[in-house]
Amino acid sequence: MSDGPGTSQAPARQPVLSLALASLLEDLHAHSGAVYLLRPDEPVLEMAVMAGMPRAFAAPWERVGLSAPVPVADAARERRLVWVGGEEEMARRYPRISVVLPYPFALAAAPVATEGTVYGSLFVTWPGAHPPELSDWEREHLTAACERLALRLERAAREDRPIGHEPDVLAAPVSGVAGTLGSIEAVRMVSRLPYGLMSLDLHGRIGFANTAAAELLGRTVGELLGTLPWASVPWLNDPMYEDRYRAALISQQTTSFLALRPPGEWLSFRLYPSTTGLSVRISRARAVAEMTRATPQAGPGPSRLVTISQVLSLAGALTEAVGVQDVVQLVWDEVAPAVGSRALVLLRAQGGRLHVLGHRGYPSARVAERFDGLPLSERTPGTHALNSGVPAFFGSREELERLYPDRQDAPDGFAAWAYLPLIASGRPVGICVLAYAGPHPFPADERAVLTSLGGLIAQALERAVLYDAKHRLAHGLQQALLPHSLAPPPGIEAAARYLPATQGMEIGGDFYDLVPTRPLAAAVIGDVQGHNVTAAGLMGQIRTGVRAYTTVGQAPHEVMSSTNRLLIDLGADLFASCLYLRLDPARGRAVMARAGHPPPLLRRPDGRVRVLDLAGGPLLGIDAGAVYPTTEVSLTPGSVLLLYTDGLVESPGVDIEDALVGLGALLADVGNQPLESLADEVIRHGAAGLERVDDVAVLLLRARDDG
């Protein structure tokens, strides 16, 4: 009998995800992994269960955007298996993960999906000793397990049995070391050894310590049991020592380190990992005098390395943020899960008021947007934090309302808040408000971390605001300089596309135009060096010059020569390629002049395509006396001319001849489509569909019989 949707006290269901993950790890001989589920309301993957490792190790990635550069997101988004064979490959492909987990291990991520629906993804890891390639058996077994899990999730959704977060799967602690006569004798034997022995569980807690270990560490056995070594032994409170514990667990390789017990005694720690925890051997170190300078000294530091990991991960992520909305999303994906926040709003100070840049997690947009337009002179926790530059932390609603009684009129359903002023270059740029579902005490170390995060967010936000402003300017300039519409003459159809480079300011010097002069129209396409405002401005001047020379009736070779002299006279020290056509559809011909521009492609009505290897002159802007010969080409009804800039056919690692052959084949296959559809096909096919280091312009012309 299945549970109905209205059942309020249903019996505990079988942990579907936990069982599937544990079984997969055992079958693959992997030692850790996690299952992520895709949220139904936003493109975010949330970790539903982890196995074999403390969740803290993966804290920076408990909640990741579907577009995030991490293996589980790539697997879900692209519906493919992702394999990372070791430390070097991780550093090359996923540097953000490598910064936080710089250890030798292998990882596979795979989508959990049916043919029609992606439910999430999972990853599994192996120790660094795993072969660099995933075996066919491992690949098939992993894929099959994901498919079975997807079918179970599909069935659960169909039966209205939601499957969500489940308890993590960690090895059970040993129940007691003295349960039998044999184990009692083992304890006695261990206690007699001259060196220290400890046992740590997967979380790093001490489950056993012999007398020698306690003496070497300067604590009693009772003071050590159940604690973290770096928490109960002050001189081990250094991130490097906890890092060695993490390295041993993740790589499943023996690791070691030296530590100075004040005032001057060096101890050697050797860590032997297994899938259930660590055994630690402690002894006095010898001959370490020459190592003193290279070994970090014990000193004050955060008690949880995961905090440092989260800061490192966020710092790496924020360097990739481009616009303001990228920053908002990254703070939500990276910071909020790490600190337990359930909502956030990012505000910018401008013109004496606060303005909402973005928010996440609020039940209603209206609740978050009440901050918008708030005068900086008004007495609120946010304005006070921004004006003073001092973060404000309120662990409960009572704390907040005691200082700000007016907040009683604006409930948001949350119970604790952190107001982080965003200070960049010595000036306030905004504020980040983190809201918590329940009371939150904000201990001193967490306040320090949040304050540091505020500094990172501020720097990213300052860059993002500047980028967005430049992008709006560049986009507006580009739109103003390119023709808003094409007005082809009778007998000619036209379609055009422009794509900016994906690097830089998304503005460039590529241009196209159609000049509907009588009796003969003209078309032009060109490319000014550069992807900046200077190139775009010069492009606008060249386009204007071509129009002017065409309008006064100059022949094609004269238009090209005049434009060349114009570019030299402007003294811009930039060159330009150009292709100019005088169109005569009534007589079925076109006269072309070329200045260092890629050759056009012509598709005949019968579907045959050829590259027009036209005579031409040098690039514009080089030689004031350059001559530009012309070529006449037949343009019978049904013919299609493809004019383009080099960004369409040039990309790293691709031979331009091969690119032209591929472009010609495409034009032959689909050249009879409507011109707008054909323009889209050309853009999708070319290098424009990849990471573009150059902008792309395409102009398509089709001759038709209007008689």
Side-chain angles (χ1 to χ4, degrees):
M1 183 175 67
S2 62
D3 298 327
T7 305
S8 58
Q9 297 293 327
R13 296 190 179 97
Q14 193 179 43
V16 173
L17 306 179
S18 303
L19 290 175
L21 182 59
S23 175
L24 180 61
L25 294 182
E26 183 177 358
D27 292 345
L28 292 177
H29 305 294
H31 84 287
S32 72
V35 177
Y36 287 77
L37 295 179
L38 185 61
R39 284 182 59 90
D41 54 341
E42 57 180 325
V44 170
L45 291 165
E46 289 186 338
M47 186 185 292
V49 64
M50 188 165 186
M53 284 287 168
R55 182 175 286 243
F57 283 16
W61 307 285
E62 280 197 89
R63 190 175 187 275
V64 299
L66 197 57
S67 60
V70 294
V72 287
D74 287 351
R77 186 179 64 255
E78 300 171 12
R79 297 178 69 119
R80 65 179 178 88
L81 191 147
V82 176
W83 167 249
V84 184
E87 191 175 8
E88 291 185 5
E89 188 177 357
M90 184 68 78
R92 185 177 69 253
R93 294 173 56 192
Y94 299 102
R96 281 169 50 186
I97 294 178
S98 184
V99 166
V100 179
L101 300 175
Y103 316 118
F105 67 96
L107 178 147
V112 178
T114 60
E115 186 174 344
T117 305
V118 175
Y119 292 97
S121 60
L122 62 78
F123 76 80
V124 293
T125 70
W126 290 265
H130 189 283
E133 298 298 332
L134 194 65
S135 71
D136 291 342
W137 181 88
E138 288 171 324
R139 184 180 296 271
E140 292 167 4
H141 200 86
L142 178 58
T143 302
C146 289
E147 290 173 352
R148 288 195 300 271
L149 180 56
L151 290 173
R152 297 196 68 173
L153 292 171
E154 181 181 55
R155 185 163 60 249
R158 203 166 48 237
E159 297 172 359
D160 196 21
R161 292 186 295 106
I163 293 177
H165 293 253
E166 295 178 1
D168 290 347
V169 184
L170 290 174
V174 179
S175 59
V177 76
T180 67
L181 290 175
S183 59
I184 291 172
E185 184 55 36
V187 171
R188 288 173 179 165
M189 180 193 73
V190 169
S191 67
R192 290 193 293 265
L193 292 174
Y195 45 81
L197 286 175
M198 290 194 311
S199 174
L200 308 184
D201 67 12
L202 291 176
H203 290 286
R205 294 187 295 259
I206 301 172
F208 170 80
N210 67 355
T211 304
E215 290 175 352
L216 288 169
L217 296 177
R219 288 287 184 270
T220 67
V221 171
E223 289 172 327
L224 292 173
L225 293 180
T227 69
L228 302 170
W230 39 90
S232 56
V233 182
W235 46 272
L236 285 178
N237 189 10
D238 186 296
M240 190 203 79
Y241 305 140
E242 189 181 352
D243 175 71
R244 295 296 81 204
Y245 141 76
R246 289 158 54 88
L249 277 187
I250 292 175
S251 68
Q252 290 290 291
Q253 296 176 359
T254 301
T255 63
S256 60
F257 63 87
L258 293 172
L260 177 64
R261 174 184 170 178
E265 183 178 23
W266 287 92
L267 299 180
S268 171
F269 292 77
R270 194 158 182 81
L271 286 62
Y272 300 89
S274 75
T275 56
T276 58
L278 291 170
S279 296
V280 184
R281 182 183 187 274
I282 311 170
S283 60
R284 287 180 172 83
R286 299 172 182 174
V288 295
E290 66 274 13
M291 301 179 192
T292 303
R293 291 187 298 274
T295 305
Q297 302 296 309
S303 60
R304 293 189 307 120
L305 185 65
V306 67
T307 299
I308 295 174
S309 301
Q310 289 156 355
V311 173
L312 286 171
S313 177
L314 178 68
L318 287 175
T319 61
E320 302 169 8
V322 177
V324 169
Q325 293 310 309
D326 294 334
V327 175
V328 175
Q329 191 62 43
L330 278 167
V331 173
W332 177 241
D333 290 343
E334 303 271 349
V335 177
V339 301
S341 170
R342 300 303 297 273
L344 74 87
V345 59
L346 209 60
L347 303 123
R348 181 188 179 196
Q350 187 178 31
R353 294 180 179 272
L354 290 176
H355 298 278
V356 174
L357 296 175
H359 55 83
R360 299 289 188 277
Y362 285 92
S364 166
R366 183 172 50 83
V367 175
E369 290 169 0
R370 72 183 188 279
F371 293 107
D372 202 55
L374 192 69
L376 293 180
S377 57
E378 191 162 326
R379 187 176 180 275
T380 69
T383 55
H384 181 266
L386 186 62
N387 291 328
S388 66
V390 178
F393 302 96
F394 302 95
S396 66
R397 178 170 289 277
E398 291 73 25
E399 285 184 30
L400 180 66
E401 293 176 351
R402 190 162 53 246
L403 289 176
Y404 299 94
D406 291 345
R407 282 280 302 186
Q408 297 178 19
D409 300 329
D412 57 14
F414 294 100
W417 299 264
Y419 290 82
L420 307 177
L422 306 180
I423 311 296
S425 305
R427 60 183 183 84
V429 296
I431 190 162
C432 177
V433 182
L434 299 172
Y436 296 74
H440 196 86
F442 295 108
D445 59 345
E446 185 174 347
R447 294 183 183 216
V449 169
L450 286 172
T451 301
S452 299
L453 292 177
L456 291 173
I457 297 167
Q459 294 173 31
L461 183 61
E462 184 180 44
R463 293 193 304 269
V465 168
L466 181 60
Y467 175 86
D468 282 353
K470 288 182 176 179
H471 183 269
R472 285 193 297 272
L473 172 63
H475 186 72
L477 178 60
Q478 189 82 59
Q479 292 297 108
L481 292 175
L482 289 173
H484 296 290
S485 61
L486 298 175
I492 294 290
E493 292 179 58
R497 294 291 184 271
Y498 173 81
L499 285 180
T502 55
Q503 303 173 9
M505 286 183 60
E506 296 192 5
I507 186 171
D510 287 17
F511 67 96
Y512 59 85
D513 202 358
L514 196 57
V515 188
T517 52
R518 299 282 183 175
L520 303 179
V524 64
I525 191 166
D527 182 1
V528 180
Q529 285 177 309
H531 315 116
N532 51 35
V533 174
T534 302
L538 193 60
M539 171 266 282
Q541 291 174 299
I542 292 175
R543 179 174 161 245
T544 301
V546 169
R547 273 190 162 255
Y549 301 137
T550 300
T551 302
V552 298
Q554 288 190 355
H557 70 280
E558 294 174 320
V559 171
M560 200 68 86
S561 296
S562 298
T563 306
N564 177 49
R565 288 191 295 271
L566 170 66
L567 186 55
I568 292 173
D569 291 343
L570 290 172
D573 293 326
L574 291 177
F575 307 134
S577 70
C578 189
L579 179 64
Y580 180 87
L581 294 78
R582 186 62 56 82
L583 300 168
D584 189 353
R587 297 174 58 189
R589 68 172 192 162
V591 178
M592 306 183 186
R594 185 163 71 105
H597 199 81
L601 272 64
L602 175 65
R603 183 185 192 272
R604 298 291 187 190
D606 60 6
R608 290 181 300 164
V609 174
R610 69 185 182 98
V611 177
L612 299 180
D613 190 12
L614 310 175
L619 292 168
L620 303 177
I622 295 179
D623 179 8
V627 175
Y628 297 93
T630 58
T631 304
E632 183 174 315
V633 176
S634 172
L635 199 62
T636 56
S639 300
V640 176
L641 269 173
L642 169 56
L643 319 179
Y644 56 92
T645 55
D646 54 11
L648 184 72
V649 293
E650 291 185 2
S651 60
V654 177
D655 184 83
I656 190 169
E657 295 297 332
D658 293 339
L660 280 174
V661 169
L663 191 59
L666 174 78
L667 192 59
D669 289 342
V670 299
N672 57 352
Q673 289 188 9
L675 222 52
E676 292 293 334
S677 300
L678 180 58
D680 292 335
E681 290 284 350
V682 168
I683 287 293
R684 275 194 294 269
H685 171 85
L690 309 173
E691 184 77 9
R692 295 186 302 277
V693 296
D694 198 0
D695 44 344
V696 176
V698 169
L699 179 61
L700 283 163
L701 304 171
R702 173 179 282 145
R704 65 187 186 194
D705 186 359
D706 285 349

